[in-house]
Amino acid sequence: MPIPDFQSVMRPVLAAVADGDPLMLSELRERIANEFQLSEEERNERLPSGKQTVINNRVGWARTYLNKAGLLSIPAKGLVQITERGREALDNGPARITVGWLKRYPEFADFHTARPADSVAPAIKAEPVEEATPDEQLADAHQALMQSLADELLAQVRTASPAFFEQLVVDLMIAMGYGGSRKEAGRATQATGDDGIDGIIKEDKLGLDVIYLQAKRWTNTVHRPEIDKFIGALTRQRARKGVFITTSDFSVGAREAALGLDIKVVLIDGSELARLMVENNLGCSVKQVYEVKHLDSDYFSED
């Protein structure tokens, strides 16, 4: 069974504490995971941030929303308890409690639609159905923005000159920690005279090993003959490591050619190139920073 969205978790959360006794949040999470018969893999699946499992995040937000609606109380740190309003919801409420249904409670409606006093954004007349928690919505929005930026970067790189692309490749390697300084890495922009290799860059600042580079600013797919040619050039140089970077993509045969070799050959296609540029702030800059904070429970500990 797939991991349920956080709205599907709401009624089971209420049912789990229907006996009226306070329940530890950790036990509540375990009961919900068992209720939906989640596999070990599903129980361990994490949000993109990697800081919390998906199911724990969804149970946590279900608890928060139910608490804001007055259906649950939090009598002490880490505990959950049903309220009289929660009992009524179990007896007379829908089979699936949703955000829209919770808005019948004024305190929840105020919480869910709260805006900063100076906000000038127009009121939303028709809200979309919420299937994701706020954490997941934020992660999805961030991912969409990053993908859009990567697409823009790749389009820009494809229109750049070959000389600029050579410099970009060196700058990317340096940003990733290779080659030492820009001056020390300059050799990477000089032709080596060996067909199939565009340049060489240090693997580390001490120059204990080197990486051979091939850069293709192409729009067409890179096929196996190009990779075989690169591997042959590496072999003649007695090189152990090579990176082939292109603005296009690689065929299945090209990727297979780079496998099972004594030489380590890394293939970076256009999508991966753009992702690495974003990750290393190359060709882009930070536009806005949003801080997402959470309760520091240690601060309130009186032990």
Side-chain angles (χ1 to χ4, degrees):
M1 181 179 293
I3 303 174
D5 63 82
F6 87 108
Q7 293 187 113
S8 297
V9 165
M10 289 184 186
R11 186 176 178 89
V13 164
L14 278 181
V17 293
D19 61 8
D21 295 330
L23 184 68
M24 290 292 296
L25 180 58
S26 57
E27 176 62 22
L28 175 62
R29 291 166 172 165
E30 184 66 20
R31 290 187 185 184
I32 297 303
N34 292 337
E35 170 78 15
F36 288 94
Q37 301 177 357
L38 299 185
S39 66
E40 196 65 26
E41 182 179 359
E42 290 167 335
R43 292 169 192 249
N44 294 326
E45 183 178 330
R46 292 187 169 270
L47 297 173
S49 66
K51 295 183 178 180
Q52 190 180 31
T53 63
V54 172
I55 186 60
N56 283 359
N57 180 261
R58 293 179 181 178
V59 171
W61 277 105
R63 180 193 66 156
T64 296
Y65 275 36
L66 293 170
N67 173 250
K68 293 297 184 181
L71 278 64
L72 287 180
S73 66
I74 302 175
K77 177 182 174 181
L79 292 177
V80 181
Q81 190 171 25
I82 198 169
T83 63
E84 283 302 316
R85 182 181 285 182
R87 294 181 190 278
E88 292 175 4
L90 281 178
D91 293 339
N92 305 312
R96 182 175 185 268
I97 295 176
T98 65
V99 171
W101 187 82
L102 289 178
K103 287 187 176 180
R104 65 180 55 226
Y105 303 110
E107 54 267 64
F108 177 81
D110 290 342
F111 155 76
H112 192 259
T113 59
R115 291 178 179 275
D118 59 351
S119 172
V120 295
I124 300 176
K125 296 182 178 179
E127 295 184 1
V129 177
E130 289 189 43
E131 298 294 343
T133 69
D135 287 319
E136 292 172 317
Q137 292 176 41
L138 183 61
D140 289 343
H142 179 265
Q143 185 175 10
L145 287 171
M146 292 302 98
Q147 184 58 56
S148 176
L149 173 59
D151 292 343
E152 289 183 55
L153 280 172
L154 185 57
Q156 193 74 27
V157 170
R158 284 172 172 165
T159 61
S161 67
F164 181 88
F165 184 54
E166 287 181 354
Q167 178 178 324
L168 184 153
V169 168
V170 175
D171 288 342
L172 177 60
M173 298 297 288
I174 293 172
M176 294 170 63
Y178 301 101
S181 68
R182 183 69 178 82
K183 181 178 180 180
E184 292 170 344
R187 190 181 171 201
T189 61
Q190 300 171 9
T192 64
D194 192 331
D195 190 20
I197 293 177
D198 288 335
I200 304 170
I201 194 167
K202 294 179 182 179
E203 183 179 19
D204 54 77
K205 293 181 179 180
L206 295 177
L208 297 176
D209 205 350
V210 294
I211 298 172
Y212 288 74
L213 304 174
Q214 174 70 285
K216 295 291 187 185
R217 190 179 59 85
W218 284 8
T219 55
N220 296 327
T221 298
V222 177
H223 292 282
R224 182 165 192 147
E226 289 297 326
I227 305 303
D228 288 339
K229 184 178 177 182
F230 182 50
I231 293 170
L234 292 175
T235 302
R236 289 190 293 274
Q237 293 290 327
R238 297 183 179 179
R240 298 186 301 167
K241 300 171 185 178
V243 178
F244 194 116
I245 302 177
T246 181
T247 53
S248 58
D249 55 9
F250 297 99
S251 68
V252 174
R255 293 190 181 277
E256 289 177 347
L259 300 176
L261 301 172
D262 293 332
I263 301 172
K264 179 65 177 179
V265 177
V266 175
L267 305 183
I268 299 178
D269 61 16
S271 297
E272 180 70 1
L273 171 62
R275 186 190 68 78
L276 290 171
M277 290 179 67
V278 172
E279 185 177 299
N280 292 279
N281 293 321
L282 183 63
C284 59
S285 58
V286 177
K287 177 182 178 182
Q288 184 73 44
V289 176
Y290 296 94
E291 291 186 338
V292 180
K293 301 183 180 182
H294 66 91
L295 179 69
D296 183 359
S297 58
D298 290 339
Y299 174 80
F300 295 95
S301 176
E302 298 183 31
D303 296 339

